Amino acid sequence: MSLQAVSAASHSSLLQPGFSLLNFDGLVFFFGQKGWPKRSCPTGVFLLDIKQNELKMKPAAFSKDSCYLPPLRYPALCTLRGNAESDKCRYIIHGGKTPNNDLSDKIYVMSLVSKNSKKAMFQCIEKDLGGEVPEARYAHTINVVHSRGKSMSVIFGGRSYTPLTQRTTDKWNSVVDCLPSVFLVDFEFGCCTSYILPELQDGLSFHVSVARNDTIYILGGHSLQNNTRPPSLYKLKVDLPLGSPAVTCSVLPGGISVSSAIVTQTSDTEFVLVGGYQSDNQKRLVCNTIVLEDSKIEIVERPSPDWTPDIKHCRMWFGCDMGTGSVLLGIPGANKQLIPDANYFYILRCKGEEEDKEEERTAQICSQTSTEDPGDSTPFEDSEEFCFSAEADSFDVDNTDTYNEDDEEDESETGYWITCSDSCNIDINTWVPFYSTELNKPAMILCSSGAGHWVHAQCMDLSESMLLRLSEANVKYFCNEHVDLNKGLQTPKKVVHLKKQPMKPLRRKTTMKLTTPVKKSFLRRLFE
């Protein structure tokens, strides 16, 4: 095992605990950034290009027939291959946390459509599921099993928010362990079936799982209910006959007390377990080899790499499997760097030296300039890549499109936890739901003053009935600071004066009683 440091990142705030790595034909892609995607990469998927200990990130694109895939942290993912060896690799992505801390219950299938020297193109499809669909969750696992010529996905564990019926004001956003149910997902027909097994008593999250043929092994994990990391090892066997599937579970000895560990596959039957925690305040620096053969599992300790002092003394670490027997590890670097949220990164290679050299030669061949016609390649848009380097100024600015976070819109100014007014008292650390429609973020309403801005309904002293009325009615709303200004700028309504038509005099018959004789000619002139 060898440990290699990657140049420190001046713009590594996107890589935070909970990210995922996808390996397509030797190309490693990053998914699950911190915060919502920005205009430099609206998909939130990046190609990780590592050359000479420098990590570059190139945005990837989605095809036009793809669905929207939000950045999900702590999802469950695994590879999905067809029966033919020529079938391309696809990834199944289920659950996870969005940047708004909402939990997803959707399942996606992601495949690489095309790639060239400029950009990679993905297709993402959301699968419609029916039956006993698993609830929204994160920190769980998903694996694919093969039995009798059939394939199914198995979902287990994770955490979810407390059910609405059990929530209180003090613990509105608290999470609980999901029920220890095993879900079988049939992608061909879109059916889900849950199984309750007596051997699985407590829910687990942040565990690891490895699968071979029709068997899945579940190792370690954290029980939130008991606040323990039991040294558990479960064996799930799935039989897929012509009728209903059969799922059995057995408890095996030799488990490991660990959570948030990383598993990478080094051969057809061998896996390496690295990282994780053995207690709340203690990292697990020991590595293990997991061998799966003939429906048996063997876990043995293996020599650990020479961990650097930074890794040994840091309180937390995180990472993900790169899919080629290598692991990308990260440790906080905020105390040592001027840039907040910056991290140090290392690549841990778990294969032998000869295999590592062969892998490096393959990577060099894959990273050579493409022989395609440049006219057929997708041009760069905005900042196509940004470099992870301790000396960002050493790059030629004219030849490299570097990412600049100052050009992007600050999420804190457009999110739910902004300071909407001078009297705003909404704090992400102390906020509790005020309206019955709120779940894990405060209700907001748009003020129509100027270009418009969002304000918290609670800060505007809006009653719930008024808030619902404003959301349903097609009217403009002005916040407390702009309502008086809006009234002063209003143009007085124009009063339309009605034009009165002159009335025509009525000619009426007049009778006069004459006391003296009058000539008719005189009377005629008098009334004309």
Side-chain angles (χ1 to χ4, degrees):
M1 301 178 71
S2 61
L3 186 66
Q4 176 185 356
V6 181
S7 298
S10 57
H11 302 294
S12 63
S13 58
L14 294 179
L15 280 81
Q16 297 293 328
F19 73 89
S20 303
L21 297 179
L22 316 175
N23 189 298
F24 290 93
D25 300 330
L27 299 178
V28 181
F29 293 87
F30 162 81
F31 168 70
Q33 69 176 55
K34 178 186 177 182
W36 291 104
K38 299 177 181 178
R39 70 171 182 269
S40 295
C41 183
T43 62
V45 179
F46 296 84
L47 168 66
L48 295 188
D49 188 12
I50 303 174
K51 297 178 182 178
Q52 299 179 353
N53 299 340
E54 295 171 350
L55 178 60
K56 299 179 181 179
M57 298 181 68
K58 297 181 179 181
F62 280 178
S63 60
K64 293 183 179 179
D65 57 346
S66 296
C67 65
Y68 175 68
L69 177 65
L72 299 170
R73 299 166 68 188
Y74 302 107
L77 56 86
C78 68
T79 57
L80 175 65
R81 295 184 181 273
N83 297 327
E85 295 182 357
S86 59
D87 288 348
K88 293 184 178 180
C89 174
R90 295 175 292 171
Y91 271 86
I92 304 175
I93 304 174
H94 177 264
K97 273 187 175 183
T98 69
N100 288 345
N101 283 332
D102 294 328
L103 299 185
S104 172
D105 61 348
K106 301 181 182 298
I107 192 166
Y108 304 91
V109 177
M110 190 172 174
S111 58
L112 182 63
V113 178
S114 63
K115 62 179 183 294
N116 51 47
S117 59
K118 292 290 185 179
K119 183 173 290 187
M121 182 75 69
F122 286 96
Q123 181 189 44
C124 184
I125 300 175
E126 180 183 346
K127 287 290 185 179
D128 295 328
L129 302 179
E132 300 170 335
V133 180
E135 63 178 325
R137 61 187 66 200
Y138 72 101
H140 57 300
T141 56
I142 183 171
N143 299 90
V144 177
V145 293
H146 308 278
S147 173
R148 303 175 186 264
K150 300 180 181 179
S151 299
M152 276 196 179
S153 298
V154 181
I155 298 175
F156 174 75
R159 293 178 181 176
S160 62
Y161 285 120
T162 306
L164 289 174
T165 56
Q166 302 177 12
R167 293 189 181 183
T168 60
T169 304
D170 297 336
K171 298 181 179 180
W172 188 265
N173 292 326
S174 60
V175 294
V176 295
D177 291 323
C178 295
L179 295 177
S181 301
V182 177
F183 293 88
L184 290 187
V185 181
D186 188 348
F187 278 96
E188 183 179 357
F189 300 101
C191 300
C192 297
T193 308
S194 65
Y195 295 84
I196 300 177
L197 305 177
E199 293 82 3
L200 300 174
Q201 295 294 329
D202 299 324
L204 289 175
S205 57
F206 294 101
H207 55 280
V208 296
S209 62
V210 291
R212 178 172 172 82
N213 298 330
D214 60 351
T215 306
I216 300 175
Y217 296 93
I218 300 173
L219 178 66
H222 180 262
S223 175
L224 192 62
Q225 180 179 0
N226 304 322
N227 193 23
T228 58
R229 292 170 174 82
S232 57
L233 177 58
Y234 300 102
K235 177 183 177 180
L236 293 178
K237 191 174 182 63
V238 181
D239 188 17
L240 302 177
L242 293 177
S244 301
V247 181
T248 58
C249 178
S250 56
V251 182
L252 303 180
I256 299 177
S257 177
V258 64
S259 64
S260 302
I262 306 169
V263 173
T264 182
Q265 187 170 2
T266 56
S267 67
D268 186 37
T269 60
E270 185 175 294
F271 302 81
V272 177
L273 178 72
V274 298
Y277 302 88
Q278 58 187 20
S279 66
D280 292 342
N281 299 319
Q282 186 176 4
K283 303 190 306 296
R284 188 176 186 272
L285 299 175
V286 180
C287 300
N288 296 88
T289 299
I290 303 175
V291 181
L292 304 182
E293 287 183 351
D294 300 330
S295 298
K296 295 181 180 179
I297 182 173
E298 182 182 5
I299 304 176
V300 295
E301 188 174 329
R302 64 180 294 163
S304 302
D306 295 330
W307 300 115
T308 63
D310 292 337
I311 294 180
K312 290 181 180 179
H313 299 129
C314 69
R315 185 176 180 181
M316 63 168 289
W317 58 349
F318 58 95
C320 189
D321 174 30
M322 300 179 69
T324 55
S326 302
V327 174
L328 179 64
L329 294 173
I331 61 174
N335 296 332
K336 301 178 181 180
Q337 301 181 11
L338 297 177
I339 303 174
D341 295 332
N343 300 308
Y344 288 141
F345 291 95
Y346 299 85
I347 295 180
L348 177 63
R349 291 185 171 87
C350 303
K351 294 183 179 180
E353 294 182 0
E354 296 181 358
E355 293 174 327
D356 285 341
K357 291 180 180 179
E358 182 65 25
E359 181 181 332
E360 290 180 1
R361 286 194 294 267
T362 305
Q364 291 174 2
I365 294 174
C366 294
S367 63
Q368 290 178 355
T369 305
S370 175
T371 57
E372 302 178 53
D373 183 4
D376 297 335
S377 302
T378 305
F380 280 71
E381 300 175 1
D382 293 334
S383 301
E384 283 297 308
E385 69 178 39
F386 54 93
C387 303
F388 285 72
S389 175
E391 298 179 358
D393 297 337
S394 62
F395 292 93
D396 188 358
V397 179
D398 296 333
N399 297 330
T400 306
D401 294 330
T402 57
Y403 176 87
N404 186 4
E405 288 185 346
D406 295 336
D407 296 338
E408 301 290 3
E409 185 179 8
D410 188 3
E411 289 179 335
S412 63
E413 298 298 329
T414 58
Y416 288 92
W417 311 107
I418 61 174
T419 303
C420 66
S421 61
D422 295 337
S423 60
C424 180
N425 56 2
I426 301 296
D427 186 0
I428 188 174
N429 298 316
T430 60
W431 176 83
V432 293
F434 180 77
Y435 302 99
S436 62
T437 56
E438 293 176 331
L439 181 60
N440 53 16
K441 51 184 178 289
M444 304 191 74
I445 188 169
L446 179 65
C447 175
S448 301
S449 177
H453 65 95
W454 292 91
V455 292
H456 299 113
Q458 184 177 351
C459 298
M460 299 297 108
D461 298 327
L462 293 177
S463 63
E464 185 162 349
S465 59
M466 178 60 69
L467 179 61
L468 293 175
R469 191 181 310 166
L470 291 173
S471 62
E472 296 173 356
N474 186 19
V475 295
K476 290 184 177 181
Y477 171 78
F478 293 90
C479 66
N480 296 340
E481 296 182 358
H482 296 120
V483 61
D484 295 333
L485 178 62
N486 177 69
K487 291 180 179 179
L489 295 178
Q490 285 181 349
T491 304
K493 294 183 179 180
K494 184 177 180 181
V495 180
V496 180
H497 298 281
L498 297 178
K499 186 177 181 181
K500 295 182 179 181
Q501 297 292 337
M503 297 181 63
K504 294 182 179 181
L506 297 176
R507 303 183 67 175
R508 54 186 178 179
K509 187 176 181 181
T510 304
T511 304
M512 296 180 62
K513 186 178 180 179
L514 300 177
T515 56
T516 56
V518 182
K519 291 184 178 181
K520 293 182 179 180
S521 60
F522 173 77
L523 294 175
R524 189 182 299 111
R525 288 195 304 269
L526 178 64
F527 288 100
E528 286 182 352

